[in-house]
């Protein structure tokens, strides 16, 4: 069963999903801590797969690096007992 969507609408929906997926992966990696070489390699591969421009990639990294929630998650989980709950 297909929805009543044109090819253009499907392309727009796919593009939205690609951008959201990339952004969410960057968020998850940032919340895990600093981006290491392995994570950067994965992001480079996903950048190609999802057709993410270099400028968009850099903007996503800056956004995630400056996100207080992601920073808090990373610090609290990586430091264990050193930061009070």
């Amino acid at each position: 069963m297909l929805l009543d969507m044109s090819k253009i609408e499907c392309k727009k929906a796919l593009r939205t999903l690609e951008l959201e997926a990339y952004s969410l992966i960057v968020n998850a990696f940032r919340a895990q801590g600093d981006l290491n070489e392995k994570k950067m390699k994965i992001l480079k591969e996903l950048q190609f797969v999802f057709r993410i421009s270099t400028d968009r990639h850099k903007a996503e990294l800056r956004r995630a690096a400056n996100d207080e929630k992601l920073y808090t998650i990373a610090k609290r989980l990586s430091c264990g007992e050193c930061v009070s709950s």
Side-chain angles (χ1 to χ4, degrees), residues 19-51:
L19 294 170
E20 288 175 355
Y22 193 78
S23 181
L24 290 172
I25 292 166
V26 169
N27 286 352
F29 281 177
R30 177 62 187 106
Q32 290 176 342
D34 293 331
L35 291 176
N36 59 29
E37 188 176 321
K38 184 175 182 178
K39 290 176 185 175
M40 287 302 291
K41 184 177 179 184
I42 292 169
L43 286 177
K44 280 292 179 189
E45 289 181 35
L46 291 174
Q47 188 180 351
F48 175 75
V49 171
F50 291 146
R51 299 173 294 129

Side-chain angles (χ1 to χ4, degrees), residues 4-23:
D4 185 22
M5 293 175 69
S6 70
K7 192 170 185 173
I8 291 173
E9 289 171 321
C10 289
K11 285 182 178 184
K12 286 180 181 179
L14 175 59
R15 186 64 185 148
T16 298
L17 289 170
E18 291 168 341
L19 294 170
E20 288 175 355
Y22 193 78
S23 181

Side-chain angles (χ1 to χ4, degrees), residues 25-81:
I25 292 166
V26 169
N27 286 352
F29 281 177
R30 177 62 187 106
Q32 290 176 342
D34 293 331
L35 291 176
N36 59 29
E37 188 176 321
K38 184 175 182 178
K39 290 176 185 175
M40 287 302 291
K41 184 177 179 184
I42 292 169
L43 286 177
K44 280 292 179 189
E45 289 181 35
L46 291 174
Q47 188 180 351
F48 175 75
V49 171
F50 291 146
R51 299 173 294 129
I52 304 296
S53 70
T54 300
D55 287 342
R56 178 67 180 244
H57 167 77
K58 289 177 182 177
E60 287 292 337
L61 294 181
R62 279 191 306 274
R63 179 197 51 75
N66 292 315
D67 187 296
E68 291 177 357
K69 181 178 179 180
L70 300 176
Y71 175 78
T72 300
I73 294 168
K75 281 298 181 187
R76 290 205 187 267
L77 296 180
S78 70
C79 202
E81 299 286 328

